[in-house]
Structures are given as C-alpha cells and as structure tokens.
Amino acid sequence: LTKHHGYSHQKVQVPKKVLIVDDTDFYRAVLLDILSKGGYEVVGQAVNGAEAIPLVSELKPDIVILDIIMPLKNGIEVAREISHMEDAPKIVMCTSLGYEPIVEEAMRSGACAFIIKPLSTERVLKVLDEL
C-alpha cells in the first residue's frame, strides 16, 4: 500500500498571471474586465514601457499584454528586453488596426501572438487560451 502524502494527481488549473501594459486607461479597463471574466489573474498594470520592465521582474507574470505605441518605451523595445529575461513571460502585442508592419517587427522582437484593437472578448481569450 502506498501513501499519497496529500498529493493529488489531478491537475489543478491555476489562473495564469497577466500583466497589462497600455497607456490608455480605457484599454487597460477593457482588458482587465475580459481577463477577469476569462479566468485569468491580472497581477499588475503599467501605463508605459518603462514602468513595465521592473514589474515583469517583480510580479513574474505568465503573460504580458503589451500595447505597441506607448510613451517612454514602446512595446517592441519592452518585448526585446523582457523576452531575454530568465523565465520570460509569453508576450502578446496589442495594437490598433493599420499597424500590421509593426506587428511583424513585434513578432521578431519576442512576441508570440498579437491582438488587434478594438478588443473583443472572444478574440482576446482565444489568443490567450492558445498560448
């Protein structure tokens, strides 16, 4: 007879931790709402790229949603920096329609997916669930 020491073999679904980085209050609020409803845990928010980098180190999110066009440091610069960190989070770029060439650059900088604004709940959750 083997003892189980209290460990369960069932996989417990721990909510993925997400950091939202966007300079627009509106989009941060929309993402917070979508992610909360979708079972994700928003561990922090940053209003620009410069704020985001120390937060990634401190909060260790599983996923970072990065706006591309931001003051101080844009999303591509942030993606380049955080994609080289130990235990780097998955990076999802968020951008307005019409910036497709920038999205290609973002993907080269370490992003693994992108979401086009305006944001729809279905599209955001589909992208994140596939990571």
Side-chain angles (χ1 to χ4, degrees):
L1 213 69
T2 57
K3 274 192 172 166
H4 280 292
H5 300 296
Y7 293 112
S8 163
H9 292 296
Q10 285 182 317
K11 197 173 178 195
V12 178
Q13 198 57 46
V14 177
K16 284 203 160 76
K17 297 187 297 188
V18 183
L19 174 66
I20 298 171
V21 185
D22 197 308
D23 59 324
T24 316
D25 294 343
F26 172 75
Y27 279 116
R28 284 197 316 277
V30 168
L31 280 166
L32 179 62
D33 184 55
I34 291 172
L35 295 168
S36 302
K37 287 179 182 160
Y40 290 86
E41 179 192 354
V42 176
V43 291
Q45 299 183 38
V47 297
N48 61 57
E51 242 182 47
I53 292 164
L55 282 177
V56 170
S57 298
E58 183 189 322
L59 302 171
K60 307 252 183 276
D62 302 304
I63 301 166
V64 176
I65 299 179
L66 272 178
D67 186 19
I68 293 183
I69 312 296
M70 289 185 295
L72 301 180
K73 257 189 187 166
N74 69 38
I76 290 171
E77 293 170 307
V78 175
R80 278 195 193 112
E81 286 192 43
I82 65 177
S83 64
H84 295 296
M85 289 180 171
E86 197 178 320
D87 301 324
K90 294 213 169 12
I91 300 167
V92 177
M93 302 310 273
C94 199
T95 186
S96 300
L97 277 169
Y99 288 107
E100 283 82 355
I102 297 176
V103 168
E104 289 172 23
E105 189 182 345
M107 299 308 267
R108 284 195 300 273
S109 68
C112 57
F114 67 94
I115 306 166
I116 301 287
K117 294 174 182 174
L119 302 171
S120 86
T121 300
E122 297 74 34
R123 215 170 38 230
V124 170
L125 294 177
K126 182 179 188 301
V127 167
L128 296 190
D129 291 345
E130 287 173 359
L131 291 178

